[in-house]
Amino acid sequence: MTDLFEPVSQTDLSIFKGRAAADRQSSRCGAQKERESDMKRSVSRGITCILSAAMILGAASGCSRQENREKTVIKILYSNNFKEVEDLVESTYDDIDLQVEISPYSSEQIRRLEKGVGPDLVFTPQPDSTMVQEYLLDLSDTKASEAYDGTIMNAWKQNGKTYLIPLPGVYSGYVVNETLFEQAGLSLPANNTELVSALSEMREKGIGIGEDDINFSIMSDYNTSVGMFYVGCMVPDFLGTVEGVKWLADFKNKEAAFSGVWEQSFSLSDSLVNAGVMDPAAVGRQRNSILCQERLVDGTLAAAFGDSALYYECVADNEKAVKEGTGTAYTYRMLPFFSDKGNEPWFLFAPSALMGINKNTGEEKQEACRRILELLSTQEGQDALIADLGGGTSCLRDHEQPKESIPGGVEEYVESGYIYNVLFPGKTVEYFGGCVRNIMNGKCSVEEALQAVDQYNYEGEDKLSYDFTVIGEVSHDLLLQNFNIRLGETEIGNFIADCVAGASGAPIAVVNGGGIRASFFEGVVYGGDIAAVCPFDNKIIVLEMDGKTVWEMLENSVSTCSEEFPGGRFLQVSGLQYTFDSTRPAGSRIVSVALSDGTEVDADTRCQIAVTDYMAGLRSYAEGNGDGYTMLNYYDDTVPKGSVTLIKETGLTYRDAMALYFEQHRDTAVDAQMEGRIRDLAQDD
């Protein structure tokens, strides 16, 4: 402030001196009055300058505070990366920082919401009423709530209130490799009988089949996708009729049931399985899901139930393969669900997901979320979402949808109106898909599955089957986030690997990151928690192997960790420590391997290691099963056996190993820590 004052004072002083010399030539009385008047004017000017300088400084300081003001961080947890949306939001609102965590596991979001650490913007494919009422903000008074198709919006209202906004949706039906049908000399099918017959004939001719000898599958990574297939089978002859419309209304009011009606939805899948063109074990998760996209692109799958996103991925990937000289050019088309009674075929339509606001987040975040939803409910916002989702059709009223975004084969049904909006209550479709899996793997009958869906509808949501038996406690959060279990050492990975080592009696244990699907949160651990964290039924076995095999196993472990979506083969370890460099080419990333006491593992070292029968080839290595651990192959006779010896089959799953640990440590909360078991030199840099 001194620098601002001094020039003003010096200027005023020179004025005073100049005027004093002139005044001495006048009368003393007049000079005195003049000096007093000038003095007042000078002081006034000085004060004005000081105030002006202060105002300028204050304004500059205000600008600095504006520029340095912390942004409101809004978090999303979803299976997609919203780069276009992030750019749009942050370029429109300079006070919002949108952060997206990619998670392929939808169950993780609801568990975080339950623990009070959920995302601010909630994206959910199949919301249930409990989730809506407990965790979502009423959006009825927002502009966004009035911007979308009324039929779709009304389907998700609860007690007349709007809590969810639909993302752009996808059409679902059959994605077929049209070229393969032409090669087989077959027309595209027009009914279910022709579909099964054509696939059977192509299989006999060896067209469109892979190593598993099948040429049709359901896009079945998620239970919702499986359930959608069976919903589609019911549309032409039931759900799309007056009778079906009434049934669904009654079902929503808990006045109708799946039992006694939906048995007919299994007719097509039974025919496909009996014809040998579809593998029920893959749908039932007795092994990996069929890689529909990859196989449609390379011509080893003739058709699959899927959506318009799958269609566009196939088209783009095939064009890329042809351009690179690594693939054959194919054309693709979407076909609708067919009638068995001569009725019109239908496509399905449903939002990719719905979005709402976490009502338990702060007011500042809620207001930021409202602004984001308002922005996304515009043409520009929908275009950004469609770009991030890889395609889709907006549910926004008056949205200008380019014709090229509608797959070949769908447009005529859009124009004729034979598009069925999937409007089942809550998570019914997802739950039904899970029940179908149980049928496919022999855990229940069709009748038992349909009864379970009815019970789910009548009695409640996810908590219906959640095991609330208290089995232990953890001292702090053991988090699954941002693919951490597929990139490096984690606390939750260390804990589970230690449990596997303890349960198996092996000095070393490895746990594939893809087998860990949720977090543990501080406090009480329930039986349902360990089922969510490790849902698969793969059994723990103990193998003996040499050091060379150990190195090969770890090379496979880190081979996909640098990809955008790192593979689930990454190994969390107990009794072992290893260093790798993720910047090196896959296959040459391991730098060192040692036992937990520091003893180096060389080619001749003998180790007994607990792995899973899945890694050892029990479910074969086709379709990515076994995560590429062919060096551990003990069970699969179709590929060379590994240099391993079976020591024991424990019959235990990861869940069993954790339950045993908690039982043995009932009086102690789990306090897993990072211990330097795994090191990535690239991260050190």
Side-chain angles (χ1 to χ4, degrees), residues 177 179 296-299 314-332:
N177 185 322
T179 305
L296 282 166
V297 169
D298 66 21
C314 290
V315 171
D317 286 355
N318 184 250
E319 289 177 351
K320 180 181 178 182
V322 172
K323 185 176 181 180
E324 294 175 349
T326 60
T328 302
Y330 295 115
T331 60
Y332 300 90

Side-chain angles (χ1 to χ4, degrees), residues 479-528:
L479 295 178
L480 165 73
Q481 59 185 104
N482 288 319
F483 291 114
N484 57 339
I485 54 162
R486 302 180 178 205
L487 296 170
E489 181 184 1
T490 61
E491 293 175 334
I492 191 171
N494 286 350
F495 168 62
I496 297 174
D498 287 347
C499 291
V500 171
S504 66
I508 300 171
V510 297
V511 171
N512 56 320
I516 304 173
R517 294 300 179 102
S519 304
F520 281 118
F521 295 99
E522 179 182 350
V524 173
V525 174
Y526 299 105

Side-chain angles (χ1 to χ4, degrees), residues 71-78 96-101 109 112-113 116-124 131 135-139 163-164 354-373 376:
K71 294 185 177 184
T72 302
V73 176
I74 300 300
K75 294 184 178 180
I76 297 173
L77 181 71
Y78 194 56
I96 295 178
D97 178 10
L98 188 64
Q99 298 180 1
V100 181
E101 177 185 344
Q109 179 165 253
R112 290 194 192 183
L113 288 169
V117 292
D120 306 301
L121 272 177
V122 179
F123 284 63
T124 174
M131 174 186 179
Y135 306 117
L136 298 186
L137 195 69
D138 181 6
L139 303 176
Y163 296 89
L164 292 159
L354 298 107
M355 50 186 172
I357 299 175
N358 183 352
K359 73 177 182 182
N360 296 317
T361 194
E363 290 185 8
E364 183 180 6
K365 287 180 176 285
Q366 289 179 8
E367 178 56 30
C369 288
R370 285 191 181 93
R371 289 155 60 201
I372 292 172
L373 290 187
L376 294 181

Side-chain angles (χ1 to χ4, degrees), residues 463-494:
K463 294 181 180 179
L464 179 71
S465 57
Y466 204 84
D467 180 2
F468 284 98
T469 304
V470 175
I471 65 167
E473 183 179 356
V474 295
S475 64
H476 63 280
D477 294 345
L478 306 180
L479 295 178
L480 165 73
Q481 59 185 104
N482 288 319
F483 291 114
N484 57 339
I485 54 162
R486 302 180 178 205
L487 296 170
E489 181 184 1
T490 61
E491 293 175 334
I492 191 171
N494 286 350

Side-chain angles (χ1 to χ4, degrees), residues 270-283:
D270 287 346
S271 297
L272 292 166
V273 170
N274 292 336
V277 300
M278 187 174 88
D279 179 11
V283 178

Side-chain angles (χ1 to χ4, degrees), residues 101-177:
E101 177 185 344
I102 299 177
S103 173
Y105 316 127
S106 58
S107 61
E108 180 68 359
Q109 179 165 253
I110 188 69
R111 297 183 76 249
R112 290 194 192 183
L113 288 169
E114 289 172 350
K115 298 297 182 179
V117 292
D120 306 301
L121 272 177
V122 179
F123 284 63
T124 174
Q126 293 287 322
D128 58 49
S129 58
T130 300
M131 174 186 179
V132 169
Q133 293 170 4
E134 292 186 12
Y135 306 117
L136 298 186
L137 195 69
D138 181 6
L139 303 176
S140 302
D141 61 346
T142 63
K143 292 181 180 178
S145 68
E146 301 297 327
Y148 296 87
D149 176 83
T151 302
I152 291 175
M153 293 299 293
N154 289 335
W156 299 104
K157 284 186 177 181
Q158 291 198 17
N159 300 320
K161 296 181 179 179
T162 299
Y163 296 89
L164 292 159
I165 304 298
L167 266 67
V170 291
Y171 298 106
S172 294
Y174 303 117
V175 179
V176 301
N177 185 322

